Amino acid sequence: MSKPSAPRRVAENEAMAVARVLRTSPRKLNLVAASIRGLDCQAAIARLTFLHRRMAVDVRKVLQSAIANAENNHQLDVDRLYVKEASVGKTFSIKRFHARARGRAARVEKPFSNLTIVVGEREEKA
């Protein structure tokens, strides 16, 4: 006897991709995610390609994964996809120490983030 399958977390006309443990702070990652929210997927990929931020590369990979999931797993039309949701979450922080003057130490926190992108299919205009 197996465990029953979990219900889908997104609607039938949506697809999702998740990247966990990205080595940046959620605040910096959210700046990149906010720049693509609500855009068509092709426009979002173009914007991420020319954005001068290090995390734009990882966000673009997750967006392309969500598009591939929509096309291959859910048979959605790629030309009508848009970024419905781009959410950033905080995960753990690595704690390190940095040597300071007179034998003291300063704490350094290295934060990590999670990224979830949901793409949806726009309805056709009549």
Side-chain angles (χ1 to χ4, degrees), residues 14-15 65-77 81 119:
E14 296 172 2
S65 176
I67 293 169
N69 289 342
E71 182 181 12
N72 296 321
N73 300 344
H74 306 297
Q75 288 74 38
L76 300 179
D77 186 14
L81 290 178
V119 294

Side-chain angles (χ1 to χ4, degrees), residues 5-108:
S5 63
R8 285 195 65 194
R9 290 175 45 192
V10 293
E12 290 299 321
N13 62 343
E14 296 172 2
M16 182 173 72
V18 178
R20 299 192 192 281
V21 192
L22 294 173
R23 176 59 188 91
T24 187
S25 69
R27 189 170 174 177
K28 291 178 185 177
L29 183 60
N30 195 35
L31 290 173
V32 179
S35 68
I36 64 166
R37 285 189 189 115
L39 291 179
D40 288 335
C41 285
Q42 297 304 321
I45 288 175
R47 179 173 287 184
L48 291 171
T49 302
F50 297 106
L51 193 65
H52 293 296
R53 287 197 171 263
R54 181 177 63 92
M55 291 312 298
V57 176
D58 292 330
V59 174
R60 190 177 77 228
K61 285 181 184 179
V62 177
L63 178 59
Q64 288 172 336
S65 176
I67 293 169
N69 289 342
E71 182 181 12
N72 296 321
N73 300 344
H74 306 297
Q75 288 74 38
L76 300 179
D77 186 14
V78 177
D79 297 327
R80 296 189 331 195
L81 290 178
Y82 73 103
V83 181
K84 184 169 185 180
E85 179 183 331
S87 61
V88 176
K90 179 181 177 183
T91 180
F92 60 89
S93 291
I94 296 177
K95 281 84 172 178
R96 296 289 182 260
F97 286 100
H98 191 251
R100 305 305 293 170
R102 298 173 64 181
R104 295 190 176 136
R107 187 174 193 175
V108 176

